[in-house]
Amino acid sequence: MSASGGSGSALAPCRFALYFCACGLDTDTGLEPDELSGEWRGLSRTRFLHFRGKLQTAVETGTNQSPLKRTFKSKVLCHYPENVDWNPFDQDAVSMLCMPKGLTFCTQRDRRDPWFHSFLITREDGSRTYGFVLTFYEEVTSPQICSAMQTLQQMHHAEHGRGSCGDCAGTLYDASRDTLYVSKALCLITPMPFMHACRRFLTQLHRAIASPQAPPLPLESYIHNVLYEVPHPPPGRSLKFHGVYEPIVCQRPGPGELPLADFPLGEAFCLLGVENLVQVFTCVLLEMQVLLFSQDYQRLMVVAEGITTLLFPFQWQHVYVPILPASLLHFLDAPVPYLMGLQSKEGTDRSKLELPQEANLCFVDIDHHCVELPEDFPQFPNKTELIQELTDVLRSFGFSPEGGAVTVPRSPAGAGPGPRLKGSALKELADDRRNGNLSADDLAALELLQRNPALAQRAGVTDSEDEAGGRGSEVDAEELRNAKLNVQLREVFAGRFATMFADYESFVIQSAPDLESWVTNREQMHNFDKASFLSDQAEPFLPFLSHFIETQMFATFVDNKIMSQWEEKEPLLRVFDGRIEKARLYNIRAPSLRSSAYQRCTVLRESAQAIEQRLLKIDHTAIHPHLLDMKIGQGRFQQGFFPKLQADVLSSPPTSNKWSSRPATAQRRNDRNRHQCELGLDNSLKEKYLQEARTLGKAVRQQPKLSDLSPAVIAQTNWKFVEGLLKECRLKTKRMLVEKMGREAVELGHGEVNITGLEENTLIASLCDLLERIWSHGLQVKQGKSALWSHMLHYQAREERLELQADGPERRKSDPSPGLSTLPVSLIQDMRCVLPNISEIKTDVGRSRAWIRLSLEKKLLSQHLKQLLSNHSLTKKLYKRYAFLRCEEEREQFLFHLLSLNAVDYFCFTGVFTTINIPYRAVIVPIKKLSNAMTTSNPWVCVSGELGDSGVMQIPKNVLEMTFECQNLGKMTTVQLGHDNSGLLAKWLVDCVMVRNEITGHTYKFPCGRWLGKGVDDGSLERVLIGELMVPCTDEEAGRGSKTPPLQRSPNQTRRISMSSLSKPTSAQIQEVVGEAVNNIIKHFHKPEKERGILTVLLCGESGLVSVLEQFFHHGFRSARLFQKSVFIWDFVEKAVMYMESTDQMGDLQETPEPRGLSSETFCRYVSGINSAPRSIGKDGKFQLLVCLGARDRLLSDWLPLLAECPVITRMYEDVAMLRDRTTVSALVGVLQTLHDFPITLETSLVKGVDL
């Protein structure tokens, strides 16, 4: 590295510009076709090399393009300085991005207007470097190049013949009469995005080239000045420096303001329209793949930079390439979130553009003002109100919010330099004198004008700053308007985030004692209490926020917050926290600032005034351009040509000038250090730990390397993608397991107690997205928007062709549900389940996600995908060698991670597709040893679930198995089973009822173990059975870790016998189970409504409220058989009612009857209502109904003392019975009263036919 480069880098962090370069045609190497350009891709090629006057051609037929329409390789012709230590010059990258389309030629017949665009290079450490390019046409003076173009034209006609190409009429080149022009680019590379200032500087430079008169100074003076003598404006200040003809002003926001953003946001909104831009912004926030599409490179940059600047206080963490060169099109195959811009060719049809993956892609067609959004897309909170506020801001500045009507503001050409003092303010001249920028004559004139105000006024020189600002040429009115509009639009978005995350600090978990231990255990730690945060949000915000808090940009934001306890706050975080603190001071509502009501931004005017004041009142003025120590005769001015610059004066900074020799103040050193931190230059241990902490997705956030496009580098990049996908899969499955396993996971030290339904749905949607990205990586040919579904369709077609030769579908090794035939375990079978049953899904992406949810619910996702990938020949046909699915070891680990999800139960298919029709199969299993398998009566059944019931269905006689179809029942809860007691064999002893969902395979068992029939058991003709989900018990599934505890089920005969005779629980045990049953109901209501279980199970299931109260009433109950008949609790209830009613009748005969209590009347009314109901539910069923109604209507605690004080109790209960112990009864009443605070709602199956 040269000494000049070293010296040039000493001041680099404070310099306005890092490099100046020119790109164009290298006459020494001649014409080289740009084979990577879009026009050449897919075409047969013609290669032309011109070297040392010799034309070498390698011709392959096939192209129809006229030579003037072809693109050729451009090269960096010069760049200054040679190098900057901390930001080396990347020649290949700059050449590609300065002229992404390569060299273009034209003749005097074509328009040759100059055009401006910008670009961005993201380095590996995340820092960004900005480039600003002005491209113009320069006449070709090389006879060899003109001759080569003439030869190409002749070869083109010889190959295609005249008139064979319709577009060639205006693109003919004849060297004898035409003037040939070639594109050339002038570029400034800066560390900060001062777009307007760079544009004005380059525009003035081009004016100097095109002008018939030479500029006041050689061009080297202006380039040297902007490279070495113009510093960054300090934070919160403005700076004026001089171009060729006019002064240029730039400004930098202060420490408490939004960071610098100079790209015109108003133009971005007008290009897309407000609603479209908000939708694209939401996609970026949720880290989807976003592809911008436009013919204009500057539009790509304006939209990309505009959206990323709106992210404050968050930062995009993934691949960011606003202008994707043709050489990097393979990066569209990246299976990671990205924000990229792709140049469209004129006349390109979107339908013909084949992208590697579109399942999670947001496609933004800027030129046609349309956006294609991914499916299952959550809306930004208060989207309608946000759009209205943005529309009002745009209209206040005269912009259309509809999209499509774009007038790009151009820098004015100006009228030339003019008189030195004309139209300048005296204050500005005084500033120039302090900076040494006035000549002796100007100094004398300034002193004269200061002494004589009248003379100054006649000369047009005023001391009024306002007048000077309004008339001066430093700040264009259009530029000022854009700056004010920019900051107001950004403030609107910043205000939304400040409202949504006003209390985010309360949910940040800072548990690590030091930085090193936090970094070491980062993956295992929960840094943010997501469940509590979501539970504190307004309901409409949840779909968006539940997705957003899972993104990498939010994780990095929280990491930065935790890191701030060990180091200085990251700049964006510091500004955001300051705003929240300020809002908290001015907001009287406590403790939270959050509200679902929309709050408009209140600082719009204030923020615009700060920008306007800085731009109109200049704080600093840079050294003027001046003559350099140059060799005479070189760089001679020639109109229309950019001269060959003198490298010796531009390669190094001045040895001494007032700016570089000033002692650096502490503030300047702090600014420099802060800027170095922003550029990722801090290599300290803390910075290293911070980088290590951002582990999630770290391997896949690889930026394209423009400087090295060798096959080895591309292979290495793809390998990093493979490693990143595997790591992401491991982290996602681990998170899903840990959150789902609940308390057991907490005891093992894994974090939160449970997972909310919203979080679960978000995680599963994220898994679907990951699988789509894995299946999209390395595709040979894209077919359809879902790569996974396309692969499955190929597999299905092949399997169906071989179906006749196959042995049949794979089946489970053992039958998990006795009485039901086994369902086939088949990937294709599940595809067939998805296609006809879910008519509302119209796309392949939706079918793919439905299939993933179904396979996950059936615990077959890993097995199905393994089966899909077992066809190696198909995988090789569909995928390139570097694809993730062809990396055997990583693929096996991936399937193993998915296999771990079988340890928990998901209902992600049943719970999402709630309106589809599902086939069910029901089997009644009788106890054959003790009863006839069949009954002569007419049996019926009704199946109920969380989402509804099937209605009463008649079971054909002598048939124990039936199928039916109805709308999705969800998780099944109860079965009502009964018959009409007709025929000779009307008694039926049923062991259980089995019901299976024929799509998901979930089988529920509803235990009974009781008789149905008059004169047997409790005389019931109908029973309400509570279900339990059957757990598969095959050898393969037996040892896969934890199982979700089964649901409670209906009490069976065995339990009732044990209560009465075999084992008698003690009083203490009964009190304990009563307390647990009531506590379970209370906990049920303390959960969010969408996450509650089935209340019927807690009331009527095993260990439910009815069951434990039965135990209470059975304690000390005299249940001896009287005349061979059992005595039931309901018998005691009926006798108590008879006593109460008889006492009431006796009181009517007395002169002063004792008033009957309200509780007594209610109790008698409820019992009479149950007895008179048309249902034959038996005595135990009636007691169950009484308890449920009492719990619903908050009457149980009133009824219990009535029964305890009834004299009937002495005949039916022993002295030791709990019901005869006043203390025990009083304690139970207190426990039951705790249920009064909750609204208990009963299933229709429980209260059918009872109107109370």
Side-chain angles (χ1 to χ4, degrees), residues 409-514:
R410 300 288 178 182
S411 298
R420 175 69 184 88
L421 295 175
K422 185 73 174 175
S424 298
L426 288 178
K427 180 179 183 301
E428 294 175 359
L429 293 177
D431 288 341
D432 283 344
R433 179 175 64 179
R434 282 198 303 273
N435 286 289
N437 288 328
L438 289 184
S439 63
D441 292 341
D442 287 342
L443 280 172
L446 174 62
E447 292 174 357
L448 178 63
L449 291 171
Q450 286 176 330
R451 289 195 304 268
N452 193 335
L455 179 62
Q457 188 172 6
R458 284 198 302 272
V461 182
T462 176
D463 197 23
S464 169
E465 295 177 7
D466 292 336
E467 291 180 23
R471 188 172 60 242
S473 61
E474 293 93 344
V475 182
D476 179 57
E478 197 74 27
E479 184 178 331
L480 177 60
R481 184 182 73 158
N482 284 335
K484 293 165 67 176
L485 175 60
N486 267 20
V487 73
Q488 290 200 5
L489 291 171
R490 295 173 67 206
E491 287 288 357
V492 171
F493 283 90
R496 295 308 308 133
F497 285 125
T499 301
M500 286 190 286
F501 296 97
D503 295 332
Y504 83 96
E505 293 179 76
S506 306
F507 305 98
V508 175
I509 304 171
Q510 302 189 1
S511 56
D514 55 69

Side-chain angles (χ1 to χ4, degrees), residues 67-130:
L68 286 181
K69 283 197 170 185
R70 299 175 195 170
T71 56
F72 299 84
K73 283 186 180 179
S74 66
K75 293 191 177 179
V76 176
L77 303 179
C78 62
H79 71 275
Y80 308 101
E82 188 68 25
N83 202 45
V84 174
D85 289 345
W86 58 271
N87 199 328
F89 187 79
D90 191 336
Q91 185 156 314
D92 291 331
V94 171
S95 176
M96 284 184 192
L97 294 172
C98 275
M99 308 187 84
K101 292 189 289 189
L103 293 173
T104 56
F105 288 85
C106 68
T107 66
Q108 76 281 357
R109 295 187 298 272
D110 303 302
R111 293 192 59 168
R112 301 188 303 279
D113 299 330
W115 67 93
F116 173 86
H117 82 272
S118 47
F119 64 83
L120 175 147
I121 298 176
T122 306
R123 305 180 66 83
E124 290 183 5
D125 61 3
S127 62
R128 294 176 181 176
T129 302
Y130 293 85

Side-chain angles (χ1 to χ4, degrees), residues 550-611:
E550 297 292 337
T551 61
Q552 184 60 33
M553 74 172 72
F554 185 77
T556 303
F557 174 76
V558 174
D559 285 350
N560 287 337
K561 180 64 178 178
I562 295 174
M563 291 286 293
S564 66
Q565 62 185 313
W566 296 298
E567 68 168 23
E568 186 180 358
K569 274 188 181 180
E570 192 267 338
L572 297 184
L573 179 65
R574 184 178 65 249
V575 175
F576 187 66
D577 283 353
R579 286 168 172 248
I580 290 178
E581 189 61 34
K582 182 179 178 181
R584 196 173 280 123
L585 289 174
Y586 286 98
N587 199 311
I588 59 173
R589 187 168 59 83
S592 171
L593 302 175
R594 190 179 300 106
S595 169
S596 59
Y598 188 82
Q599 301 175 17
R600 284 199 164 215
C601 183
T602 57
V603 295
L604 295 183
R605 188 173 181 180
E606 173 188 332
S607 59
Q609 286 175 344
I611 292 281

Side-chain angles (χ1 to χ4, degrees), residues 818-877:
L820 284 171
S821 58
T822 57
L823 278 176
V825 178
S826 166
L827 180 155
I828 295 176
Q829 179 64 31
D830 286 346
M831 288 180 66
R832 291 169 179 162
C833 287
V834 168
L835 283 171
N837 289 287
I838 313 180
S839 57
E840 60 263 34
I841 295 180
K842 307 296 183 184
T843 66
D844 287 350
V845 175
R847 296 184 187 100
S848 170
R849 290 177 177 173
W851 180 86
I852 292 170
R853 288 178 175 274
L854 175 59
S855 301
L856 188 60
E857 184 165 327
K858 296 177 73 171
K859 302 190 178 184
L860 292 172
L861 182 59
S862 178
Q863 183 177 336
H864 279 345
L865 294 179
K866 186 175 183 179
Q867 182 182 351
L868 178 65
L869 296 171
S870 63
N871 192 325
H872 300 296
S873 61
L874 177 61
T875 307
K876 287 182 180 179
K877 177 183 175 182

